[in-house]
Each structure stands twice: as structure tokens, then as C-alpha cells.
Amino acid sequence: MNFHIMTLFPEMVEQGLTTSILGRAVENNLITIDTVNIRDYTDDLKHRKVDDYTYGGGAGMLMQAQPIYDCWKAIESKIQNKNADGVSHKTRVIYVTPQGSVFQQNMAQEFAKEEDLIFLCGHYEGIDERVLETIVTDYVSIGDYILTGGELPAMVMIDAIARLVPGVLNNDVSAETESFHDNLLEYPQYSRPEVWMERKVPQILLSGDHAKVDQWRLEQSIERTRQRRPDLYEKWLAEHPPKLDKRKPVL
Ligand code: ADE
């Protein structure tokens, strides 16, 4: 899977995404991280300017349409040339913005099906609306708070998407049992030693009875979700309504 990131700070994104697990995924050619500097596409050869004042007044500068459009065009034609199968698939362009839909695990799963994804990172007071209307397919936020730029949100999303690409995690099972699968948080886990600071590992985990362990873990997940994320618990309950107890007569 190929991530193309349109940014004014390519080195920030590169450094953040080429260490640890994603770094290994890049080395193993499972993913590519293609950072593209929007400033390289400015028409203003003298000052290399990419921003200007907003029409109608107001504080702050706005990123201009031209450098972003030309930067996107260059990425898009690179992708089309690579996929020279005659079929033109328009690559999704994700604009990371606090005005977007809030990023969730199911969105990560949907985006992970794409072969290429383009991220647009904004700065200053935002981006000229006309270029957004022209190239953006998805407006996505990482939460209801304002950051100084789009690079960190793009990195958050790329990390969440890339780890779903087959082979990126050593262990594919863990992607299924972890938090948010089926709207439940993950159960508590323990490793050696069996007793630490007088606190024991729950006895059932040492029993070797896999059915009982699975049942215990499910119960822990449900209870943890109820306590910590009542919003998720409600969703889970709606999909798993309590079964009627057949022994009791319905009055
Ligand atoms: N840019 C600034 N803040 C952001 C956020 N919360 N999500 C996505 N992009 C952003």
C-alpha cells in the first residue's frame, strides 16, 4: 500500500513513520511513504510562497490553491503511470481537518483496502476552498481539538491504516482481538511473574481451560467497556440484546 503525503514539513512525516513497525514494513516493501513538499510546486519561484491573505479580511494566512493543485496533479499522474492498466481509478484524497468526520477503527479498515491514498496536510488558517472542492474526496478529523497542522493527524491515521495491511503486524490474530473489535475494549492481560508486588495473576488464566479463559476474557471486555466507554457499550448491547430466559414465564 502506498501513502502519499502532501505537506510543508516532509521531514517531520518521514521521521515519524519510518521507525519501529512501520519502518520495518517500509523495508519489507509492504508499504511506501511518499512525502511531497507542497512548496516545491509554487509558481512563485522568487519567494517560494504558498500562502496569502484571506479575501474578506480576518486574521492569519491561507494556503493558496495553485501549489496544492499542482502538487496533487504530480502525485496523481505518478499513480496513474504506475497503474498503467488503462483503467483510471481516482485515488482518494484525505484532507485532515478538525471539520471532518471523526476517524474511527472502521474507517481505518475501509482505507486499508486502497492501493494508494493521498493525504493533504493543512497549515496556517486553512486552505483555499476551491482547491478542496476540486481534489478532496474525504474530510477526516482525529478528534475535537485543534492542532497546529495536519502532519500529526495524518501520521496517526497512516499508522492505524498501515498496521492493518497484511504482513505489517507479525501476528494477524491480534488485529482481531484488540480493542474496538465488535465495539468492545480489550480484556486485561498479564505476563510473568505470576505474583508481582503481592498481586496475583487471575487464577483462571493459569487453568489451561481455554473455553473458560475465553469466557472470562469476554466478560472482562464487556465490563471494562461498560465502565470506561459507555458509548461503545451501548452500541455493543444494541447488537447483542440479552437473551430471554426461557425458564421464566413471560407475564
Ligand atoms: N488539523 C488541526 N487539528 C486537527 C484535528 N483535530 N484533526 C485533523 N486535522 C487537524
Side-chain angles (χ1 to χ4, degrees), residues 3 45 47 52 74 76 83 85 107 113 140 156 177 181 189 195 217 221 224 226 231 251:
F3 297 95
L45 299 182
H47 301 106
D52 211 328
E76 185 60 20
N83 300 338
D85 55 4
M107 287 165 106
K113 293 180 193 148
V140 189
V156 166
T177 57
H181 179 69
Q189 304 210 71
V195 182
R217 285 179 167 167
S221 282
R224 178 163 277 197
R226 191 182 70 76
D231 56 324
L251 298 176

Side-chain angles (χ1 to χ4, degrees), residues 20 48 57 73-74 88 99 123 129 150 166 173 209 212 226 238:
S20 184
R48 295 185 27 99
K73 268 276 199 227
S88 146
Q99 298 182 16
H123 263 272
E129 193 66 21
V173 184
D209 185 333
K212 280 203 178 131
R226 191 182 70 76

Side-chain angles (χ1 to χ4, degrees), residues 7-9 12 63 95-98 120-126 142 145-155:
T7 168
L8 291 174
F9 301 97
M12 175 178 178
M63 285 174 77
Y95 175 39
V96 288
T97 166
L120 170 58
C121 305
H123 263 272
Y124 313 116
E125 288 305 305
I142 60 163
Y145 41 83
I146 311 292
L147 300 166
T148 53
E151 282 74 16
L152 284 172
M155 286 157 72

Side-chain angles (χ1 to χ4, degrees), residues 3-7 9 12-13 16-17 22 94-104 107-108 111 117-123 138-162:
F3 297 95
H4 310 266
I5 304 107
M6 301 166 66
T7 168
F9 301 97
M12 175 178 178
V13 179
L17 292 178
L22 296 198
I94 301 167
Y95 175 39
V96 288
T97 166
Q99 298 182 16
S101 323
V102 178
F103 189 63
Q104 309 274 357
M107 287 165 106
F111 286 135
L117 279 179
I118 302 175
F119 286 82
L120 170 58
C121 305
H123 263 272
D138 300 84
Y139 293 78
V140 189
S141 164
I142 60 163
D144 291 340
Y145 41 83
I146 311 292
L147 300 166
T148 53
E151 282 74 16
L152 284 172
M155 286 157 72
V156 166
M157 291 182 215
I158 291 169
D159 189 288
I161 298 165

Side-chain angles (χ1 to χ4, degrees), residues 8 34 150 219:
L8 291 174
D34 170 33
E219 286 164 12

